[in-house]
Amino acid sequence: MIKVPLTVRGAEMLKAELQRLKSVERPSVIEAIAEARAQGDLSENAEYEAAKERQAFVEGRIAELEAKISNAQVIDPIELNADGRVVFAATVKLLDMESDDEVTYQIVGDDEADIKEGKVSINSPIARAMIGKEAGDVAEVVAPSGIREYEILDVLYI
């Protein structure tokens, strides 16, 4: 199996979702199925069908999360020693050389990515352009609007 990189926070989020699915969602779905069965004829019971579909979704998500967690390689940015280079879990301060805007991104796993929170996927074009670079380097990002250049101002392991 291929190891899936996750930050400590990302691993905690997946574990919390798994716990919620097992302790809240699964019992709720089982109860909904029992109530729908009590209504009698299952062949024309929309509540029963909806509950079974929900159960399939919940069980599928549980299996998916368990697989991701078991294959996770949890990386704590505080413990990194990357000599100032951009690596997974690093937080990078950038200067958009076209607009002069400063932005800060943390490179995270696919499940953790949220651009509104400044978290970009390791598989995103901007993260791929930054990996291995250090402060002072320029990362060229191939975007739909064309090539964008970002100067790396600082690399933090926080």
Side-chain angles (χ1 to χ4, degrees), residues 9 13 105-106 108-121:
R9 181 177 169 273
M13 286 174 25
Y105 295 124
Q106 182 183 23
V108 298
D110 291 335
D111 292 309
E112 306 170 72
D114 185 348
I115 196 69
K116 293 176 197 152
E117 290 185 22
K119 297 180 183 307
V120 295
S121 166

Side-chain angles (χ1 to χ4, degrees), residues 11-61:
E12 289 171 358
M13 286 174 25
L14 291 182
K15 288 175 185 174
E17 182 182 355
L18 180 60
Q19 179 62 32
R20 182 185 56 77
L21 288 171
K22 285 183 169 182
S23 64
V24 176
E25 295 294 326
R26 183 185 270 168
S28 171
V29 169
I30 291 170
E31 184 178 320
I33 290 171
E35 287 176 14
R37 275 193 179 139
Q39 294 176 8
D41 184 16
L42 299 180
S43 63
E44 295 181 19
N45 189 328
E47 289 85 8
Y48 179 75
E49 290 301 318
K52 291 299 282 183
E53 285 180 23
R54 179 77 181 140
Q55 181 184 38
F57 172 80
V58 168
E59 294 301 326
R61 184 66 179 154

